[in-house]
Amino acid sequence: MGECTLCGLSTPEPPHTAPDVDGAFCCQGCLTVARTLDDAPADADPQTAVDTGPDVDTVEGDRAYFDVDGMHCATCETFLEAAATDAAGVRAAEASYTAGMVRVVFDPATAEPDAIADRISGHGYDATREGTASADDAQETVGRLMVGGFFGMMVMAWYVLFLYPVYTGVAPSSLLVDLNGPAGGFLFANVWVMATVVVAYTGYPLFRGAVVSLRVGHPNMDLLVAIAAATAYGYSTIAMALGQTDLYFDVAVVVVLAVTVGDYYQERVRRRAMGRLATVSDERADTARCRTADGTEAVPRSAIDGGDELVVKGGEPVPVDGTVVEGTAAVDESLVTGESLPVSKATGDAVLGGTTVTDGGIVVRADEDPTSTVDRLAETLWDVQSATPGAQRLVDKISAVFVPLVFVLAVGTLVVHLLAGSGATAALLTGLTVLVVSCPCALGLATPMAVAAGIRDALDAGIVITDDTALETAPAVDTVALDKTGTLTTGSMTVRTVAGHDEALAYASAVEQFATHPVAEAISEAGTPPDQPVTAFETIPGRGVQATVGDRTVLVGDESLFAARDWTVPSDVAATYDGAGDDAIASYVGWDGRVRGAVVVGDEVREGWQSVLDRLAADRRVVVITGDDRAAAQQFASHRSVDEVFAGVPPEAKAAVVDRLGADGTVAMVGDGSNDAPALGAADLGITVESGTRLAFDAADVVVTDDSLAALPEVFATTEGTRRRIRENLGWAFLYNGIALPLAVVGVLNPLFAAVAMATSSLLVVLNSTRPVGGEAGS
């Protein structure tokens, strides 16, 4: 048994092959994808779409995912990995700023996840397994902003009433307070205390980020902000102690508050919208019912060995991948395959870990290497996200050069002016002016303010942007790949057609109201049961159900249920049943020895999908990827705006398809299920609908909140306008620095004018960012 050339799954014997395609494939879907894309060399890496990641993937041990609050730049990754690996029992760790998480491999005999979380926490970081830290972190940040805002307003009030008039030439004697007297000393002491609270308390996360960036050797925006705020505060403190009145506590306060507000707003929106990889545990079985000689025994999922027989009842998830050795059941595989229709499983059939038995009961023999497909998808998602971080923040890249450059420039200016004969105080003020005028308020606000405006307009259009890199990526997309089930379709079962006796649906609804099968739920919701008692309900595994309605025994199920009883089927009812199509499930309804009707249930397409595809196709290539067969996707394949349909694609291969499509340009993937998560992560832009699973939310960069496709074209219109706004803001910020820095170096500016110039530059960025961006770009 080999590996699929496209997705890496095990291939059957013999594997799927074709003369015109190099390689061996696990299914016809992978073979079709390889043929269509003409990109499957025989020696290709089977995991082409997914980077295998660092050594953490090869280390043996239990795995745990920790949601970490306080990560706001890529430099945090190295710091957190070092902190995690220092914990007792931890064998490997990998941090991902993109996911906001740390993945840890540990020895369960010597380490506990809670202890590891405690080790990771500290220095401004807060790690949890259940994603609860974000609320606590947000509450703490609000507290810091409230305290900083209060004391910051008090600082600015003193400046407006007393200090600014002095700086603009108003004589001290005309003021209520003599700044050179005892009252002035009292005023300065108040300003110093309040500014200290703002800088030390509210600005703590910024200074902590600056220290972390120095420790890992990657200067970032936090370091830039910290230098500017600390220099203004430090100089003002020394100047105040020396009896001077030219103080710049206001600069420090404005820098800290403005940047903190921008960072908090971005993080709050991102946290609110994102799901967490750690919550995938809610979608899997943590325990299993293992059959023994004495009956059954509940065991942890981690204790399952290959060959163990596991009893799975209706409504329960299958713990691990395996083979049915006893019983029959309907299994909902939508979580891992995207297939909306339940699949009947009987002895000898393979079942996937993470799927759910909806009707009946089975005994599953665990595979030799017991794993769950849900877990495998989670690992694949992590690998894709970590190995494909996307574009780094432009400002952080600039900071790596700008921060040391400004610092060297300030020190050089100080030295040159001293050598030129300037006094020590004048030279120091000139050097400080260089730092203050280059204060990165405009540069620091350029991206977050434009992002905030873009997020605001996106929310108005029913779109949540969970990753600000989407604002740069979306406008460059030239291929949009859409999942079928749950994306182009609703993902929920509804009654399409009823044929035969007028009471067929009513009697079917009466019987099916006691079943848990998705088809049963659709029928029971569509029909109104007759006003008669329903008794003796019974499930006939793999075939249907029966019950007594009033004095009639009513059967609802597939053709074999009635054929076994040799019941008569009217020709018109049989025609409806046989013509249901590959994307629907048909059920007969009968009583008194005769089939009375047929009910066809299927997944409905979303309203307005044609017009959405037309708008997308105006500027981009549109493809559809589905786990269903070609017949089920025919209506999409025949649509004028769809360039290609990839049918029969298993979950692991979706990421490979997206990766290969990406060889020709920038790809956006639109999906809703956990099975789509790796593809969402592999795409340059991942988009999911609100009804999607938490794992899909974690992988997506954009979430359409109204559970429809109507807002999808607006994703590209809004993001293009936002990207333009970011570039405008950055252009202005660099223009400002390009003009102001030379003037500061030659001594034309003083710290006061530098502060005014900095504030003006920041104000222009804010005003530019608050303008609506949604209507600036085409779809």
Side-chain angles (χ1 to χ4, degrees):
M1 183 177 293
E3 289 186 340
C4 177
T5 301
L6 182 69
C7 71
L9 289 178
S10 297
T11 58
E13 291 296 343
H16 292 268
T17 59
D20 59 332
V21 180
D22 292 333
F25 303 90
C26 65
C27 63
Q28 189 63 36
C30 285
L31 174 60
T32 302
V33 170
R35 176 185 290 113
T36 303
L37 297 179
D38 193 25
D39 186 25
D43 59 349
D45 181 352
Q47 297 293 347
T48 303
V50 183
D51 186 89
T52 56
D55 291 340
V56 69
D57 286 323
T58 62
V59 176
E60 294 294 331
D62 284 6
R63 280 170 166 73
Y65 294 87
F66 297 93
D67 188 358
V68 182
D69 280 305
M71 293 182 70
H72 59 277
C73 68
T75 58
C76 296
E77 294 177 351
T78 303
F79 183 85
L80 287 168
E81 287 170 2
T85 51
D86 285 343
V90 174
R91 296 171 176 170
E94 180 186 5
S96 171
Y97 162 66
T98 305
M101 304 192 75
V102 174
R103 177 172 63 160
V104 172
V105 181
F106 65 97
D107 180 0
T110 58
E112 291 288 340
D114 290 342
I116 298 173
D118 291 340
R119 182 68 182 182
I120 299 174
S121 299
H123 304 287
Y125 302 105
D126 188 10
T128 66
R129 295 196 68 193
E130 299 300 329
T132 58
S134 58
D136 296 336
D137 184 69
Q139 185 175 1
E140 179 183 350
T141 304
V142 169
R144 290 184 186 276
L145 284 174
M146 291 181 65
V147 171
F150 174 78
F151 286 103
M153 287 189 295
M154 297 298 293
V155 168
M156 298 310 297
W158 288 119
Y159 269 87
V160 170
L161 294 175
F162 302 107
L163 298 183
Y164 289 152
V166 173
Y167 298 159
T168 55
V170 178
S173 59
S174 66
L175 300 175
L176 296 176
V177 175
D178 181 4
L179 297 183
N180 295 310
F186 175 77
L187 184 152
F188 289 139
N190 274 274
V191 170
W192 177 81
V193 169
M194 291 182 289
T196 299
V197 172
V198 176
V199 173
Y201 180 67
T202 305
Y204 168 75
L206 299 174
F207 288 100
R208 187 261 301 166
V211 171
V212 169
S213 76
L214 290 174
R215 291 182 64 175
V216 299
H218 297 290
N220 63 358
M221 182 56 64
D222 285 343
L223 183 59
L224 206 60
V225 172
I227 289 177
T231 302
Y233 174 82
Y235 170 81
S236 300
T237 300
I238 296 173
M240 183 184 69
L242 296 177
Q244 298 181 19
T245 59
D246 289 336
L247 308 180
Y248 302 98
F249 291 115
D250 56 336
V251 174
V253 167
V254 169
V255 168
V256 168
L257 288 179
V259 176
T260 301
V261 167
D263 287 347
Y264 165 71
Y265 185 70
Q266 289 184 89
E267 184 65 11
R268 182 174 67 89
V269 174
R270 186 178 75 89
R271 291 291 190 181
R272 184 182 65 189
M274 279 190 71
R276 285 298 174 204
L277 192 59
T279 59
V280 72
S281 58
D282 292 340
E283 298 177 341
R284 68 181 187 183
D286 291 324
T287 60
R289 191 181 299 105
C290 187
R291 187 159 69 175
T292 67
D294 299 325
T296 59
E297 176 185 0
V299 298
R301 191 168 60 96
S302 59
I304 299 174
D305 294 323
D308 284 351
E309 294 186 351
L310 312 173
V311 179
V312 187
K313 298 181 179 180
E316 296 179 347
V318 178
V320 295
D321 296 351
T323 304
V324 178
V325 295
E326 184 179 315
T328 59
V331 178
D332 179 4
E333 296 184 338
S334 60
L335 177 64
V336 293
T337 67
E339 171 57 58
S340 59
L341 304 178
V343 178
S344 179
K345 298 291 183 180
T347 301
D349 292 337
V351 290
L352 303 177
T355 58
T356 302
V357 174
T358 61
D359 189 15
I362 52 178
V363 177
V364 177
R365 179 179 290 119
D367 288 346
E368 288 305 314
D369 182 18
T371 58
S372 169
T373 297
V374 167
D375 293 342
R376 186 167 67 250
L377 289 171
E379 292 288 332
T380 303
L381 170 60
W382 174 278
D383 289 337
V384 170
Q385 287 186 323
S386 299
T388 314
Q392 296 293 326
R393 287 185 177 181
L394 178 60
V395 175
D396 279 342
K397 288 183 176 180
I398 295 167
S399 300
V401 177
F402 188 64
V403 172
L405 177 63
V406 169
F407 186 77
V408 170
L409 188 61
V411 173
T413 300
L414 170 64
V415 172
V416 169
H417 278 265
L418 285 174
L419 294 176
S422 299
T425 300
L428 180 62
L429 285 176
T430 303
L432 175 62
T433 301
V434 172
L435 286 174
V436 172
V437 80
S438 65
C439 171
C441 264
L443 190 60
L445 290 173
T447 297
M449 288 302 296
V451 167
I455 289 173
R456 174 202 63 205
D457 287 1
L459 287 172
D460 290 341
I463 302 162
V464 175
I465 299 172
T466 63
D467 186 344
D468 55 17
T469 61
L471 300 172
E472 288 290 327
T473 305
V477 168
D478 44 36
T479 299
V480 180
L482 299 103
D483 170 58
K484 183 183 80 70
T485 303
T487 303
L488 290 173
T489 66
T490 62
S492 60
M493 307 294 287
T494 57
V495 172
R496 292 183 180 179
T497 307
V498 180
H501 197 285
D502 292 341
E503 294 184 327
L505 181 60
Y507 275 101
S509 175
V511 176
E512 294 283 24
Q513 65 181 315
F514 297 101
T516 58
H517 194 287
V519 172
E521 293 177 3
I523 294 175
S524 62
E525 289 179 3
T528 302
D531 188 16
Q532 300 177 30
V534 180
T535 58
F537 174 81
E538 179 184 352
T539 298
I540 305 171
R543 293 185 177 183
V545 292
Q546 72 176 32
T548 300
V549 182
D551 57 357
R552 288 176 170 171
T553 298
V554 179
L555 277 67
V556 182
D558 63 16
E559 185 178 23
S560 64
L561 176 65
F562 297 87
R565 290 165 171 76
D566 198 25
W567 285 22
T568 301
V569 182
S571 58
D572 59 329
V573 174
T576 299
Y577 184 96
D578 295 335
D582 295 324
D583 61 340
I585 289 180
S587 299
Y588 280 137
V589 184
W591 58 85
D592 296 338
R594 181 181 176 84
V595 172
R596 305 290 178 167
V599 180
V600 179
V601 175
D603 188 10
E604 293 297 319
V605 294
R606 290 188 183 272
E607 183 179 358
W609 67 272
Q610 299 98 329
S611 61
V612 169
L613 294 187
D614 288 340
R615 293 182 62 187
L616 292 176
D619 301 308
R620 302 165 187 87
R621 181 188 181 197
V622 176
V623 302
V624 176
I625 305 175
T626 178
D628 293 342
D629 59 24
R630 188 81 181 182
Q634 183 56 42
Q635 63 179 321
F636 303 109
S638 60
H639 192 272
R640 62 181 177 275
S641 295
V642 176
D643 295 282
E644 185 63 55
V645 171
F646 299 106
V649 180
E652 291 82 356
K654 286 188 177 182
V657 173
V658 170
D659 183 70
R660 297 193 180 199
L661 290 170
D664 297 326
T666 304
V667 179
M669 174 67 191
V670 187
D672 75 306
S674 294
N675 64 293
D676 299 320
L680 291 170
D684 299 288
L685 181 73
I687 305 174
T688 188
V689 293
E690 188 180 37
S691 62
T693 65
R694 285 182 295 276
L695 194 58
F697 272 36
D698 189 75
D701 305 302
V702 178
V703 178
V704 178
T705 62
D706 59 2
D707 198 21
S708 75
L709 298 177
L712 189 56
E714 298 303 321
V715 171
F716 300 100
T718 302
T719 52
E720 185 172 338
T722 303
R723 184 178 67 168
R724 180 181 295 109
R725 188 61 44 77
I726 292 174
R727 292 177 174 178
E728 291 171 354
N729 288 347
L730 288 175
W732 166 251
F734 287 122
L735 177 64
Y736 155 75
N737 278 286
I739 296 174
L741 270 175
L743 295 177
V745 169
V746 299
V748 173
L749 299 179
N750 63 29
L752 170 62
F753 291 124
V756 172
M758 178 272 297
T760 302
S761 176
S762 301
L763 179 62
L764 289 174
V765 167
V766 171
L767 292 177
N768 188 51
S769 297
T770 54
R771 296 188 295 117
V773 300
E776 291 190 359
S779 60

